[in-house]
Amino acid sequence: MKHISLLGSTGSIGTQTLDVVESHPDSINVVALAAGSKSIKLLADQIRKFSPELVSVPGKPDIALLREALGAEHKRLEIVCGDEGLEAVATHSKVETVVTGVVGFLGLKPTAAAIRKGKRIALANKETLVAAGAAIMPMVREFNAQIVPVDSEHSAIFQSLGGRKAADYKKELAKIWLTASGGPFRTWSLEQIRNATVDDALKHPNWAMGPKITIDSSTLMNKGLEVIEARWLFDVDPASINVVIHPQSILHSAVEFVDGSIVGQMGVPDMRLPIHYALFFPDRVHSDKVPRLNLLEMHELTFEKPDITRFPCLAIAQRIAAENNTLPCVLNAANEVVVDFFLQGFVKFYDMAAQIERVLERHKPVEKPNLDDILDADQWARREAVQLLSAVRH
Ligand code: MG
């Protein structure tokens, strides 16, 4: 029996994780759940179905709402809240694997706490490594924790490397081929992209994901953040990570070895596949949830070079990827704020890159940052971004 906790249980990754868990009732036990305030009713349903021992919600009012939704049935369930609540879920003593499905910077502190307890992290929260890779990776080594990526591309790379540790493939690995679908604007002209609306950007061609990551996919910032994520996760020079547009999203990424062999991982674009792999790693277990890929029905797989003129966010992130300081954290924070302003209609689609650049330019980076430096940089960047954007908002 594997014992897991799940951060962000009502979000896109969370619900898909529980979907996988549901088909393996005898091998996976959900010990603890954490969720946001938006879907208390769904959280109550999840509690009825999976009977966790501990649940965390954002605030005290959410505890009351959840108790009300649960009724008399789960009176003895322990419900906690706030940052400490998230941490309690992430560090529960019975838990071996923590699935981090929360969106954004919120995932950093509980992930760090779980690493200090030597847990295995099924990492779906890329912001943790993007913002704090410089501080997190040394902790992973120090506390003998392990990160198994859930991000589909990184899962593909991890699988292609045989799930080995960096020291074991270091001499063999020449390059990473990081695939991107290209998002909804892949074939749009610069002029069309300038006039893209929020609805246009939210229509992802292949993947069903939450709104923040869907916008990041439409700007290709998501791919840029994934370059940074891969750099830390696989301990490689970012210059050896090649982004390639692959509109069918069938090859989820590949590695090129020093002898010229390219090994990749293919499958249908369905997040339950990397989630399933991370939950059972290092074993492979039958899945009846994930649809099968029929190669006989695959008529073409195509690859193209990304266009950084139409998608400047990718170039910004690729430039920042090599930094060993607080700039990646500032990039991540500024992007979160800018995406939020875009979703509310206060920033135009194509202006997002320039706004992120303005925040980056104002930052005085701290070299080799620790977790506190990163938390400070994050707060600074958010304040700065909100201030700059409020001034341009009309
Ligand atoms: Mg991805």
Side-chain angles (χ1 to χ4, degrees):
M1 190 64 118
K2 291 178 187 282
H3 301 279
I4 69 163
S5 66
L6 174 53
L7 306 179
S9 70
T10 56
S12 174
I13 293 291
T15 52
Q16 295 184 82
T17 300
L18 291 175
D19 194 29
V20 172
V21 170
E22 208 184 347
S23 58
H24 299 279
D26 300 328
S27 37
I28 306 176
N29 173 35
V30 179
V31 177
L33 293 176
S37 320
K38 279 186 208 145
S39 321
I40 295 292
K41 209 179 145 283
L42 174 58
L43 178 59
D45 290 341
Q46 293 176 340
I47 292 165
R48 281 187 205 101
K49 204 180 245 174
F50 297 97
S51 313
E53 293 174 23
L54 175 72
V55 171
S56 176
V57 287
K60 289 228 169 83
D62 303 305
I63 297 182
L65 286 171
L66 182 59
R67 289 259 178 237
E68 198 185 302
L70 283 170
E73 208 185 332
H74 291 266
K75 249 195 302 206
R76 286 162 64 194
L77 170 68
E78 190 184 356
I79 308 178
V80 290
C81 68
D83 281 354
E84 297 108 75
L86 265 181
E87 247 174 69
V89 167
T91 57
H92 194 291
S93 62
K94 274 193 195 161
V95 165
E96 297 128 23
T97 299
V98 182
V99 182
T100 60
V102 287
V103 178
F105 196 73
L106 188 65
L108 176 59
K109 277 200 209 164
T111 306
I115 289 170
R116 283 196 196 96
K117 296 276 181 204
K119 309 272 189 206
R120 172 179 290 172
I121 314 291
L123 187 80
N125 175 274
K126 73 188 66 177
E127 290 84 354
T128 296
L129 284 184
V130 170
I136 287 284
M137 291 316 286
M139 281 172 58
V140 169
R141 287 186 285 271
E142 183 184 345
F143 295 97
N144 206 16
Q146 187 181 21
I147 297 182
V148 179
V150 169
D151 207 346
S152 61
E153 295 79 0
H154 303 75
S155 174
I157 296 162
F158 188 75
Q159 293 184 51
S160 302
L161 291 166
R164 289 181 290 168
K165 295 210 158 95
D168 298 329
Y169 58 69
K170 200 101 222 225
K171 282 191 193 144
E172 299 172 8
L173 180 63
K175 236 183 236 180
I176 287 175
W177 290 96
L178 187 68
T179 56
S181 71
F185 305 138
R186 181 177 62 89
T187 58
W188 287 34
S189 69
L190 183 56
E191 205 42 47
Q192 287 173 306
I193 289 174
R194 281 190 200 282
N195 294 310
T197 65
V198 172
D199 282 345
D200 294 332
L202 283 174
K203 281 181 203 129
H204 196 278
N206 302 344
W207 293 96
M209 306 176 290
K212 195 260 175 185
I213 184 169
T214 304
I215 299 303
D216 284 347
S217 297
S218 71
T219 60
L220 295 196
M221 178 59 93
N222 181 54
K223 209 47 55 180
L225 299 180
E226 287 181 354
V227 170
I228 302 175
E229 184 186 6
R231 174 233 161 147
W232 291 114
L233 209 44
F234 303 109
D235 194 16
V236 292
D237 178 353
S240 69
I241 304 172
N242 294 5
V243 173
V244 56
I245 306 290
H246 167 49
Q248 296 83 13
S249 297
I250 294 298
L251 176 69
H252 297 308
S253 280
V255 300
E256 183 174 321
F257 291 109
V258 284
D259 59 3
S261 265
I262 293 182
V263 175
Q265 181 255 340
M266 296 200 288
V268 292
D270 188 315
M271 283 309 292
R272 288 172 302 181
L273 189 50
I275 290 169
H276 190 273
Y277 180 81
L279 288 178
F280 288 100
F281 173 80
D283 302 323
R284 288 213 186 250
V285 173
H286 175 78
S287 163
D288 51 17
K289 289 284 183 184
V290 178
R292 302 290 148 150
L293 176 66
N294 183 351
L295 289 179
L296 295 173
E297 283 167 11
M298 296 286 14
H299 301 300
E300 59 173 5
L301 297 179
T302 58
F303 300 93
E304 16 179 297
K305 199 176 170 183
D307 175 1
I308 54 169
T309 312
R310 287 182 302 140
F311 301 101
C313 284
L314 175 62
I316 297 174
Q318 282 179 313
R319 187 187 79 222
I320 298 295
E323 301 286 350
N324 219 340
N325 53 33
T326 42
L327 276 168
C329 170
V330 169
L331 170 73
N332 177 65
N335 180 56
E336 275 188 39
V337 174
V338 169
V339 167
D340 199 39
F341 271 68
F342 169 70
L343 283 169
Q344 293 180 57
F346 297 135
V347 181
K348 290 186 79 177
F349 182 83
Y350 194 74
D351 293 340
M352 284 195 276
Q355 298 301 337
I356 292 166
E357 285 279 28
R358 288 173 70 200
V359 182
L360 286 168
E361 276 162 19
R362 285 169 157 76
H363 183 59
K364 292 188 189 71
V366 177
E367 294 300 321
K368 296 211 171 141
N370 60 29
L371 221 45
D372 287 331
D373 298 326
I374 285 160
L375 293 168
D376 288 347
D378 176 77
Q379 287 194 349
W380 174 89
R382 278 166 209 276
R383 270 198 314 271
E384 199 71 16
V386 167
Q387 227 167 54
L388 287 172
L389 287 164
S390 302
V392 295
R393 173 178 154 176
H394 30 254

